[in-house]
Amino acid sequence: EVQLVESGGGLIQPGGSLRLSCTASGFTFSSYWMHWVRQAPGKGLVWLSCMNADGSDTRYADSVRGRFTISRDNTKNTLYLQMSSPRAEDTALYYCASSLVGASFPHFVSWGQGTLVTVSS
Amino acid sequence: DIQMTQSPSSLSASVGDRVTITCRASQSIHTYLNWYQQKPGKAPKLLIYGASSLQSGVPSTFSGSGSGTEFTLTISSLQPEDFATYYCQQSHAMMWSFGQGTKVEIK
Protein backbone atom coordinates (compact mmCIF):
# COMPACT_ATOMS: atom_id res chain seq x y z
CA GLU A 1 0.00 0.00 0.00
CA VAL A 2 1.30 3.41 -0.96
CA GLN A 3 1.75 5.66 2.07
CA LEU A 4 3.10 9.13 2.71
CA VAL A 5 3.34 10.07 6.38
CA GLU A 6 4.22 13.62 7.39
CA SER A 7 5.68 14.52 10.79
CA GLY A 8 7.46 17.34 12.57
CA GLY A 9 4.67 19.88 12.76
CA GLY A 10 3.86 21.84 15.89
CA LEU A 11 4.00 25.28 17.43
CA ILE A 12 6.86 27.45 16.29
CA GLN A 13 7.69 31.05 17.17
CA PRO A 14 8.07 33.66 14.44
CA GLY A 15 11.70 33.75 13.35
CA GLY A 16 12.38 30.22 14.56
CA SER A 17 12.98 27.11 12.49
CA LEU A 18 11.31 23.77 11.99
CA ARG A 19 11.94 20.73 9.83
CA LEU A 20 9.08 18.71 8.44
CA SER A 21 9.52 15.12 7.29
CA CYS A 22 7.55 12.92 4.92
CA THR A 23 8.27 9.20 5.00
CA ALA A 24 7.23 7.15 1.97
CA SER A 25 6.44 3.46 1.68
CA GLY A 26 4.83 1.09 -0.80
CA PHE A 27 6.42 2.56 -3.92
CA THR A 28 9.83 3.27 -5.44
CA PHE A 29 10.53 6.63 -3.82
CA SER A 30 13.52 7.35 -6.05
CA SER A 31 11.31 7.30 -9.18
CA TYR A 32 9.14 10.21 -8.11
CA TRP A 33 9.23 13.96 -7.92
CA MET A 34 8.18 14.93 -4.41
CA HIS A 35 6.23 18.02 -3.43
CA TRP A 36 5.12 20.11 -0.47
CA VAL A 37 1.69 21.72 -0.50
CA ARG A 38 0.02 23.66 2.31
CA GLN A 39 -3.49 24.64 3.27
CA ALA A 40 -4.18 27.39 5.76
CA PRO A 41 -7.25 26.84 7.98
CA GLY A 42 -10.38 27.22 5.86
CA LYS A 43 -8.38 28.20 2.78
CA GLY A 44 -7.26 26.62 -0.49
CA LEU A 45 -4.31 24.52 -1.56
CA VAL A 46 -0.98 26.21 -2.21
CA TRP A 47 1.91 24.44 -3.91
CA LEU A 48 5.20 25.30 -2.21
CA SER A 49 8.09 23.33 -3.59
CA CYS A 50 9.23 20.18 -5.37
CA MET A 51 12.36 18.16 -5.89
CA ASN A 52 13.19 15.69 -8.64
CA ALA A 53 14.03 12.06 -8.07
CA ASP A 54 17.77 12.38 -7.51
CA GLY A 55 17.67 15.73 -5.76
CA SER A 56 19.41 17.67 -8.51
CA ASP A 57 16.46 19.92 -9.39
CA THR A 58 14.36 21.97 -6.99
CA ARG A 59 11.53 24.44 -7.57
CA TYR A 60 9.91 26.90 -5.19
CA ALA A 61 6.88 29.14 -5.09
CA ASP A 62 7.72 32.82 -4.70
CA SER A 63 6.05 32.86 -1.28
CA VAL A 64 8.67 30.55 0.27
CA ARG A 65 11.74 30.90 -1.94
CA GLY A 66 14.71 31.86 0.22
CA ARG A 67 12.98 30.87 3.47
CA PHE A 68 12.11 27.21 3.00
CA THR A 69 14.43 24.47 1.73
CA ILE A 70 13.33 21.16 0.30
CA SER A 71 15.58 18.09 0.45
CA ARG A 72 15.31 14.32 0.30
CA ASP A 73 17.16 11.22 1.41
CA ASN A 74 16.46 8.37 -0.97
CA THR A 75 18.20 5.90 1.34
CA LYS A 76 15.58 6.67 3.99
CA ASN A 77 12.65 7.21 1.58
CA THR A 78 12.15 10.57 3.24
CA LEU A 79 11.40 14.09 2.03
CA TYR A 80 12.11 17.15 4.15
CA LEU A 81 11.07 20.78 4.34
CA GLN A 82 13.26 23.10 6.39
CA MET A 83 11.25 26.14 7.42
CA SER A 84 13.26 29.22 8.40
CA SER A 85 12.04 32.64 9.51
CA PRO A 86 8.42 31.51 9.65
CA ARG A 87 5.64 34.07 9.73
CA ALA A 88 2.13 33.89 11.10
CA GLU A 89 0.84 33.43 7.54
CA ASP A 90 2.82 30.17 7.29
CA THR A 91 0.34 28.60 9.74
CA ALA A 92 -1.19 25.72 7.79
CA LEU A 93 -1.57 22.00 7.29
CA TYR A 94 1.46 20.86 5.29
CA TYR A 95 1.02 17.97 2.87
CA CYS A 96 3.60 16.04 0.94
CA ALA A 97 2.66 14.56 -2.42
CA SER A 98 4.28 12.60 -5.24
CA SER A 99 4.30 12.80 -9.02
CA LEU A 100 5.82 10.24 -11.34
CA VAL A 101 9.03 11.12 -13.20
CA GLY A 102 8.46 11.21 -16.93
CA ALA A 103 4.67 11.31 -16.81
CA SER A 104 3.19 12.77 -19.99
CA PHE A 105 0.83 14.89 -17.94
CA PRO A 106 2.33 15.37 -14.48
CA HIS A 107 -0.12 15.10 -11.60
CA PHE A 108 -0.08 14.17 -7.94
CA VAL A 109 -0.57 10.43 -7.58
CA SER A 110 -0.40 10.22 -3.77
CA TRP A 111 -0.86 12.55 -0.82
CA GLY A 112 -0.10 12.28 2.86
CA GLN A 113 -2.59 13.28 5.54
CA GLY A 114 -0.67 16.41 6.50
CA THR A 115 1.13 17.82 9.54
CA LEU A 116 -0.09 21.00 11.20
CA VAL A 117 2.28 23.93 11.70
CA THR A 118 1.24 26.86 13.87
CA VAL A 119 3.40 29.98 13.90
CA SER A 120 2.70 32.07 16.97
CA SER A 121 4.50 33.79 19.81
CA ASP B 1 4.35 32.29 -12.03
CA ILE B 2 1.19 31.05 -13.73
CA GLN B 3 -1.98 32.16 -11.96
CA MET B 4 -5.05 29.94 -11.98
CA THR B 5 -8.52 31.44 -11.53
CA GLN B 6 -11.55 29.28 -10.86
CA SER B 7 -15.16 30.29 -11.16
CA PRO B 8 -17.46 30.28 -9.41
CA SER B 9 -15.92 30.26 -5.92
CA SER B 10 -18.97 28.40 -4.67
CA LEU B 11 -22.24 27.07 -6.01
CA SER B 12 -25.37 25.45 -4.70
CA ALA B 13 -26.87 22.56 -6.62
CA SER B 14 -29.26 19.67 -6.19
CA VAL B 15 -28.69 15.95 -6.60
CA GLY B 16 -29.01 15.13 -10.28
CA ASP B 17 -27.97 18.57 -11.49
CA ARG B 18 -25.32 19.14 -14.14
CA VAL B 19 -22.50 21.25 -12.71
CA THR B 20 -19.72 23.04 -14.57
CA ILE B 21 -16.65 24.64 -13.01
CA THR B 22 -14.27 26.81 -15.02
CA CYS B 23 -10.55 27.29 -14.57
CA ARG B 24 -8.53 29.93 -16.43
CA ALA B 25 -4.75 30.14 -16.65
CA SER B 26 -2.82 33.40 -16.91
CA GLN B 27 -0.89 31.97 -19.87
CA SER B 28 -1.12 28.90 -22.05
CA ILE B 29 -0.57 25.65 -20.20
CA HIS B 30 -1.51 23.46 -23.19
CA THR B 31 -3.29 20.55 -21.46
CA TYR B 32 -1.17 20.42 -18.30
CA LEU B 33 -4.27 20.76 -16.15
CA ASN B 34 -5.51 18.49 -13.38
CA TRP B 35 -8.63 18.48 -11.21
CA TYR B 36 -8.87 17.35 -7.59
CA GLN B 37 -11.74 16.85 -5.16
CA GLN B 38 -11.29 17.56 -1.46
CA LYS B 39 -13.68 16.70 1.33
CA PRO B 40 -13.40 18.21 4.83
CA GLY B 41 -10.52 16.78 6.85
CA LYS B 42 -9.23 14.73 3.94
CA ALA B 43 -6.38 15.00 1.48
CA PRO B 44 -7.32 15.90 -2.10
CA LYS B 45 -8.19 13.16 -4.55
CA LEU B 46 -7.23 13.21 -8.24
CA LEU B 47 -10.18 13.22 -10.64
CA ILE B 48 -8.85 14.32 -14.02
CA TYR B 49 -5.32 14.72 -15.41
CA GLY B 50 -4.07 16.08 -18.70
CA ALA B 51 -7.23 18.21 -18.91
CA SER B 52 -9.49 15.34 -19.97
CA SER B 53 -8.16 11.95 -18.82
CA LEU B 54 -10.29 10.33 -16.13
CA GLN B 55 -8.30 8.87 -13.24
CA SER B 56 -8.89 5.17 -12.69
CA GLY B 57 -11.77 4.55 -10.32
CA VAL B 58 -13.37 7.96 -10.77
CA PRO B 59 -17.02 7.83 -11.89
CA SER B 60 -17.74 8.64 -15.50
CA THR B 61 -20.08 11.40 -14.36
CA PHE B 62 -16.91 13.50 -14.10
CA SER B 63 -15.33 14.89 -17.27
CA GLY B 64 -12.81 17.55 -18.16
CA SER B 65 -12.15 19.59 -21.26
CA GLY B 66 -10.16 22.53 -22.54
CA SER B 67 -6.69 23.53 -23.64
CA GLY B 68 -4.52 26.60 -23.65
CA THR B 69 -5.94 28.91 -21.00
CA GLU B 70 -9.54 27.80 -20.45
CA PHE B 71 -10.68 24.54 -18.91
CA THR B 72 -13.86 23.06 -17.49
CA LEU B 73 -14.77 20.30 -15.07
CA THR B 74 -18.27 18.93 -15.58
CA ILE B 75 -20.26 16.70 -13.27
CA SER B 76 -23.06 15.38 -15.46
CA SER B 77 -25.35 14.27 -12.64
CA LEU B 78 -24.44 15.44 -9.15
CA GLN B 79 -24.46 12.70 -6.53
CA PRO B 80 -24.63 13.12 -2.73
CA GLU B 81 -20.97 12.12 -2.39
CA ASP B 82 -19.91 14.83 -4.86
CA PHE B 83 -20.53 17.70 -2.46
CA ALA B 84 -16.98 18.87 -1.85
CA THR B 85 -14.43 21.48 -2.88
CA TYR B 86 -12.81 21.18 -6.31
CA TYR B 87 -9.40 22.52 -7.31
CA CYS B 88 -7.71 22.87 -10.65
CA GLN B 89 -3.93 22.54 -10.79
CA GLN B 90 -1.48 23.35 -13.55
CA SER B 91 1.84 21.54 -14.01
CA HIS B 92 3.35 23.38 -16.96
CA ALA B 93 7.15 23.17 -16.97
CA MET B 94 7.08 21.56 -13.53
CA MET B 95 6.16 24.83 -11.83
CA TRP B 96 2.87 24.09 -10.22
CA SER B 97 -0.05 26.11 -8.94
CA PHE B 98 -3.66 25.59 -7.85
CA GLY B 99 -6.82 27.52 -8.42
CA GLN B 100 -8.50 28.95 -5.34
CA GLY B 101 -11.14 26.23 -5.24
CA THR B 102 -14.86 25.86 -5.92
CA LYS B 103 -17.10 24.69 -3.09
CA VAL B 104 -20.10 22.68 -4.27
CA GLU B 105 -22.87 22.80 -1.68
CA ILE B 106 -26.29 21.22 -1.38
CA LYS B 107 -29.18 23.45 -2.44
Side-chain angles (χ1 to χ4, degrees):
Chain A
E1 179 193 5
V2 171
Q3 271 199 310
L4 295 172
V5 179
E6 300 93 339
S7 60
L11 178 64
I12 179 174
Q13 292 189 338
S17 66
L18 190 68
R19 189 177 79 162
L20 307 182
S21 300
C22 168
T23 302
S25 60
F27 66 101
T28 305
F29 183 70
S30 57
S31 295
Y32 286 76
W33 282 80
M34 295 299 297
H35 304 256
W36 288 101
V37 174
R38 72 183 179 190
Q39 187 168 36
K43 302 297 185 182
L45 301 169
V46 177
W47 175 83
L48 300 178
S49 181
C50 66
M51 174 171 272
N52 71 341
D54 67 6
S56 62
D57 188 356
T58 59
R59 315 285 174 97
Y60 293 95
D62 288 346
S63 59
V64 301
R65 186 177 292 115
R67 298 191 302 122
F68 291 6
T69 302
I70 191 171
S71 61
R72 68 191 291 164
D73 185 338
N74 286 349
T75 67
K76 297 181 178 179
N77 286 355
T78 302
L79 176 74
Y80 303 99
L81 185 69
Q82 182 71 44
M83 303 174 61
S84 301
S85 303
R87 308 162 180 162
E89 54 265 37
D90 294 321
T91 293
L93 185 65
Y94 284 72
Y95 291 103
C96 66
S98 62
S99 64
L100 184 61
V101 169
S104 299
F105 297 102
H107 54 273
F108 289 178
V109 296
S110 299
W111 296 72
Q113 286 306 303
T115 187
L116 182 63
V117 173
T118 303
V119 183
S120 175
S121 55
Chain B
D1 290 1
I2 298 174
Q3 309 302 317
M4 306 300 293
T5 304
Q6 284 181 237
S7 60
S9 296
S10 64
L11 63 91
S12 296
S14 301
V15 172
D17 283 354
R18 182 182 182 88
V19 167
T20 298
I21 299 168
T22 297
C23 180
R24 288 186 174 87
S26 59
Q27 65 186 73
S28 176
I29 56 169
H30 307 286
T31 53
Y32 293 104
L33 191 284
N34 309 312
W35 291 98
Y36 298 84
Q37 175 194 70
Q38 188 181 34
K39 296 182 178 179
K42 299 293 187 181
K45 170 189 171 184
L46 178 69
L47 300 175
I48 302 283
Y49 63 93
S52 60
S53 295
L54 191 67
Q55 171 69 356
S56 176
V58 174
S60 58
T61 52
F62 290 90
S63 63
S65 64
S67 65
T69 62
E70 188 150 338
F71 303 86
T72 59
L73 173 70
T74 300
I75 309 172
S76 60
S77 177
L78 200 63
Q79 299 303 300
E81 59 270 25
D82 299 336
F83 291 95
T85 301
Y86 294 84
Y87 295 91
C88 63
Q89 176 202 47
Q90 67 82 21
S91 60
H92 181 59
M94 292 302 286
M95 284 297 295
W96 306 63
S97 53
F98 289 93
Q100 80 278 17
T102 297
K103 187 173 184 179
V104 177
E105 299 176 301
I106 301 172
K107 183 183 284 186

